[in-house]
Amino acid sequence: MALPSVQVRFKDRFAERRLVAGRLVVAGVVVVLALMALIAQLFHLQVADHAYYSTLSEDNRVRIEPLPPTRGLIYDANGVLLADNYPTHSLEMVLDKVDDPEATIAELAQILTIDEADRRRFERLRRQLRRYEGVPIRLRLNDEEIARFAVDAHRFPGVDVRAELVRYYPLAEHTAHVLGYVGRINEVEMRRIDASAYAGTHFIGKGGLEKAYEDLLHGRVGHRQVEVNARGRVQRVLTSQLPVPGRDLHLFLDIYLQQEAAAALGERRGALVAIDPRTGGVLALVSRPSFDPNLFVEGISQADYDALLGSLDQPLFNRAVRGQYPPGSTVKPFIGLGGLAAGVVTFRQEKWCPGHYSLPGHTHRFRDWKRGGHGRVNMERAIVESCDVYFYDLAHQLGIDRLHEALAGFGFGARTGIDVAGELGGLLPSRAWKRAARGQSWYPGETLILGIGQGYFLATPLQLAAATAALAARGEYRVPRVVRTTRAPADAVPEATLAAGHSIAQARARDWEDVIEAMANVIEGPAGTARQIRHPAYRIAGKTGTSQVFSLGQTQRYRAEEIEERLRDHALFVAFAPVAEPRIAVAVIVENGGGGGAVAAPVAAQVIDAYLSRPQVLEAAGGRYDR
């Protein structure tokens, strides 16, 4: 039996060594390459881009936060606080740190009440603010809501409770039109302002003094460098630069007089402006009806805004500085001064008033308010009894050019320059204006209508008050100012605001006194149109006015009881007191009020008496007034 053959294989040790050596070489090359890559990356991180990655690392640990300044406060002439700041807490989201804002808000709604208005405000503001800025989700959190969120705060990175100071107006409706209000910065304002100057704050002045003095009230933003953990929570403050608070405003405005003026106007639509003729300081500036400015500070609800905007009484409209009305007979003393200065008439020269006036060669009759006429009248009687025919004739003698020049000297047809935002300049017509605005020539009949404060002529209550103050000061026109001084917390002495003005040199000293005495007889004379407001302690000089809302035909008669209330005449009155050394000048308009003597004059008298009867004002006059 044959044995099977066996093949014996011998190991090739040299081949195995070559294989192992090759593998070691490959492994070595891989290790070397990997090591080189690692070294290169380390060089990239630690040397080449060290500054970049160091900054990123530092930003993960350190954050720069803006510190908003405290807005300046506003005080009245007696030190009464009119605009304050109070602390409040809001829930805010930084979009850069939240992956899904909608889902986060949905979760937050399980903890806090977040209604549809909150969501709409959030959506609006997230489009306006930068992604690293906090967007408010809920405003005015109470202590319970803050505590409730604190329990689950760890679940909401990028969401935090933020404390801030919010504007508050203690006297609300009494100061709305003069102070204005602050509100959240909108998209238009964001494009206009320096964003870095408003970092950390969402509010800006929207009207009145708040807007006019925004730069002073706002202050200067500070910042702090803080260390944060992985969740973005502040661990400690590294460095800080404190913000500079805004300057406080101290006003000429007397809030007690402001309230008295509002009470005198009552529920009627109208405006009142009171000015100190010696300084141009605005003692009261009232527009009725008014509104609560606090509604606008953190965002007014749509329902509240619609109610204000839709009201026929227009509470948002500042009648004192933006209301433009025909001034009516209140401008007759100014036109009288213009006639005296031009030499076309003397104070005692008489003219005949039959109750109507016609231009030479024309049959059209311009009617006087008194159908039977006033008979023989000079300038004094024409002012006292408000004779239209006298001023038709005087306007005709002056002509439109000299008439325009005389009225322009008292500030009509131009903004006064008051430090309240939003002022309008009225309209003082002229040949050039009509040619540019209407493409027509000026007609002589339009000069007559201008002579009694009607036609194209429009003036604001503020312009009337400033002109009356200039007349009271015997020709010294002073630009009206609401702010007396501004002051920063560190200031030892407050800084006074600039008082500007000019002298009206068109009349002689005797002319001023004659016209002022005629205005005094409007109150003191037996036929004066405001004789019911005569005061036993001091003399008042004034002038009534009635301006038409629509024109009547030649044969029509005005009967207020037959006309819809909003089509009735406006009642106007301008006055100052005491006559010898005036301390207050007032202009009043009551929309659709009727006669100025019966309606507007008592309003002015109430305000004048409230001011002159104040102990400090009486003391400044030496305990008595030189009548």
Side-chain angles (χ1 to χ4, degrees):
M1 181 174 177
L3 296 173
S5 63
V6 177
Q7 293 183 348
V8 179
R9 299 181 63 185
F10 296 96
K11 292 182 177 180
D12 187 345
R13 296 183 180 277
F14 294 104
E16 289 181 353
R17 286 176 182 174
R18 287 195 299 272
L19 179 63
V20 171
R23 289 176 177 175
L24 287 173
V25 170
V26 172
V29 170
V30 171
V31 170
V32 170
L33 291 174
L35 185 60
M36 291 177 65
L38 179 61
I39 292 171
Q41 184 65 15
L42 286 172
F43 179 82
H44 175 68
L45 293 173
Q46 298 295 326
V47 180
D49 289 333
H50 173 268
Y52 173 72
Y53 288 105
S54 176
T55 301
L56 286 182
S57 175
E58 190 69 11
D59 284 348
N60 287 332
R61 184 183 71 87
V62 177
R63 187 169 69 212
I64 304 295
E65 294 183 340
L67 296 175
T70 302
R71 194 171 182 86
L73 305 178
I74 303 178
Y75 299 89
D76 92 323
N78 308 297
V80 177
L81 187 59
L82 305 181
D84 195 5
N85 302 312
Y86 77 94
T88 185
H89 294 82
S90 59
L91 189 67
E92 295 189 352
M93 177 189 296
V94 179
L95 296 174
D96 260 352
K97 298 181 178 179
V98 178
D99 295 329
D100 190 343
E102 288 75 17
T104 300
I105 291 178
E107 287 187 56
L108 286 168
Q110 305 299 317
I111 303 171
L112 305 171
T113 301
I114 301 176
D115 59 26
E116 191 58 35
D118 294 325
R119 294 173 188 267
R120 286 197 301 268
R121 182 181 56 248
F122 176 82
E123 289 300 323
R124 184 180 74 253
L125 292 176
R126 71 183 289 189
R127 293 191 297 269
Q128 299 174 13
L129 301 174
R130 293 173 174 81
R131 291 189 61 82
Y132 58 80
E133 293 183 301
V135 182
I137 303 171
R138 260 291 311 279
L139 305 174
R140 300 189 182 185
L141 297 174
N142 57 38
D143 292 342
E144 180 185 344
E145 289 171 322
I146 294 171
R148 201 182 307 155
F149 172 76
V151 173
D152 294 298
H154 63 279
R155 295 170 44 205
F156 303 101
V159 179
D160 209 347
V161 173
R162 180 173 181 265
E164 63 181 341
L165 292 174
V166 174
R167 203 59 150 178
Y168 175 64
Y169 303 99
L171 293 162
E173 294 188 359
H174 290 295
T175 59
H177 289 106
V178 62
L179 298 188
Y181 57 88
V182 300
R184 293 193 175 269
I185 301 171
N186 59 38
E187 294 181 55
V188 174
E189 290 162 338
M190 186 59 73
R191 290 193 295 269
R192 174 175 55 82
I193 64 175
D194 177 3
S196 62
Y198 283 82
T201 182
H202 303 137
F203 301 98
I204 194 170
K206 298 282 187 175
L209 296 179
E210 293 280 21
K211 183 175 181 179
Y213 285 88
E214 173 63 24
D215 291 343
L216 292 180
L217 287 167
H218 176 64
R220 192 166 68 243
V221 174
H223 69 269
R224 67 175 185 172
Q225 191 179 51
V226 297
E227 187 177 63
V228 297
N229 61 18
R231 293 183 177 275
R233 305 292 180 189
V234 175
Q235 301 301 298
R236 63 192 177 106
V237 177
L238 301 177
T239 62
S240 65
Q241 179 180 332
L242 296 178
V244 178
R247 296 181 72 86
D248 296 339
L249 305 184
H250 296 263
L251 312 184
F252 287 104
L253 193 84
D254 184 329
I255 191 59
Y256 302 114
L257 195 66
Q258 184 88 350
Q259 292 172 310
E260 190 70 29
L265 283 168
E267 298 302 314
R268 294 170 292 193
R269 299 180 304 279
L272 180 146
V273 179
I275 294 176
D276 185 339
R278 300 166 299 176
T279 63
V282 176
L283 305 173
L285 190 151
V286 175
S287 176
R288 300 290 292 173
S290 188
F291 63 97
D292 184 357
N294 294 302
L295 294 173
F296 288 87
V297 174
E298 292 191 272
I300 189 170
S301 70
Q302 192 63 46
D304 287 337
Y305 186 66
D306 288 343
L308 289 172
L309 202 61
S311 172
L312 287 176
D313 292 334
Q314 297 179 286
L316 296 176
F317 181 53
N318 189 345
R319 290 167 165 83
V321 301
R322 294 183 64 82
Q324 301 180 105
Y325 309 91
S329 295
T330 59
V331 297
K332 288 176 178 176
F334 309 110
I335 294 173
L337 281 166
L340 294 172
V344 300
V345 69
T346 64
F347 189 70
R348 289 171 178 77
Q349 180 182 342
E350 293 184 335
K351 299 181 181 181
W352 179 255
C353 169
H356 55 83
Y357 182 84
S358 296
L359 285 167
H362 294 76
T363 58
H364 180 86
R365 289 184 172 184
F366 294 86
R367 297 179 303 175
D368 193 284
W369 70 267
K370 189 174 183 181
R371 291 181 67 84
H374 298 268
R376 303 196 68 82
V377 294
N378 57 19
M379 184 176 292
E380 178 177 19
R381 189 180 173 200
I383 291 175
V384 170
E385 299 183 26
S386 200
C387 175
D388 291 333
V389 167
Y390 181 94
F391 285 96
Y392 288 144
D393 185 64
L394 178 54
H396 177 61
Q397 290 184 72
L398 279 170
I400 181 56
D401 298 327
R402 287 189 294 186
L403 183 56
H404 180 276
E405 181 183 0
L407 291 169
F410 284 94
F412 292 107
R415 294 184 180 92
T416 65
I418 190 174
D419 51 346
V420 172
E423 181 192 8
L424 294 180
L427 172 60
L428 179 58
S430 64
R431 295 180 193 275
W433 168 82
K434 192 179 181 190
R435 192 177 302 112
R438 303 295 178 92
Q440 299 174 349
S441 299
W442 185 266
Y443 299 113
E446 293 170 328
T447 305
L448 271 57
I449 297 300
L450 180 61
I452 62 166
Q454 295 285 166
Y456 300 120
F457 193 2
L458 298 174
T460 67
L462 174 63
Q463 286 175 320
L464 283 170
T468 304
L471 198 158
R474 278 66 173 176
E476 291 300 320
Y477 184 96
R478 293 176 177 86
V479 173
R481 308 296 293 178
V482 179
V483 176
R484 184 178 75 248
T485 59
T486 69
R487 188 169 192 167
D491 287 352
V493 179
E495 182 179 320
T497 57
L498 180 65
H502 64 270
S503 295
I504 304 171
Q506 62 179 330
R508 299 165 301 177
R510 181 69 258 166
D511 296 336
W512 292 105
E513 298 305 327
D514 284 340
V515 170
I516 287 172
E517 190 61 28
M519 292 176 69
N521 287 330
V522 170
I523 288 87
E524 297 174 352
T529 53
R531 55 191 177 277
Q532 73 274 22
I533 68 166
R534 184 173 183 174
H535 199 281
Y538 50 82
R539 300 179 73 204
I540 302 172
K543 183 69 191 79
T544 58
T546 303
S547 68
Q548 294 179 347
V549 176
F550 70 98
S551 299
L552 293 173
Q554 282 281 290
T555 59
Q556 290 179 297
R557 295 190 65 180
Y558 177 83
R559 295 184 176 87
E561 65 279 2
E562 298 176 1
I563 301 173
E564 195 271 321
E565 191 264 342
R566 292 179 186 272
L567 294 177
R568 294 173 188 168
D569 293 345
H570 298 320
L572 299 100
F573 187 67
V574 297
F576 59 88
V579 169
E581 295 183 1
R583 295 173 179 271
I584 182 172
V586 178
V588 180
I589 181 166
V590 179
E591 288 185 3
N592 313 118
V599 178
V603 173
Q606 185 174 333
V607 171
I608 290 171
D609 192 52
Y611 184 68
L612 294 181
S613 298
R614 295 276 300 281
Q616 57 268 46
V617 179
L618 190 58
E619 182 181 351
R624 62 181 293 278
Y625 294 116
D626 184 351
R627 293 170 54 82

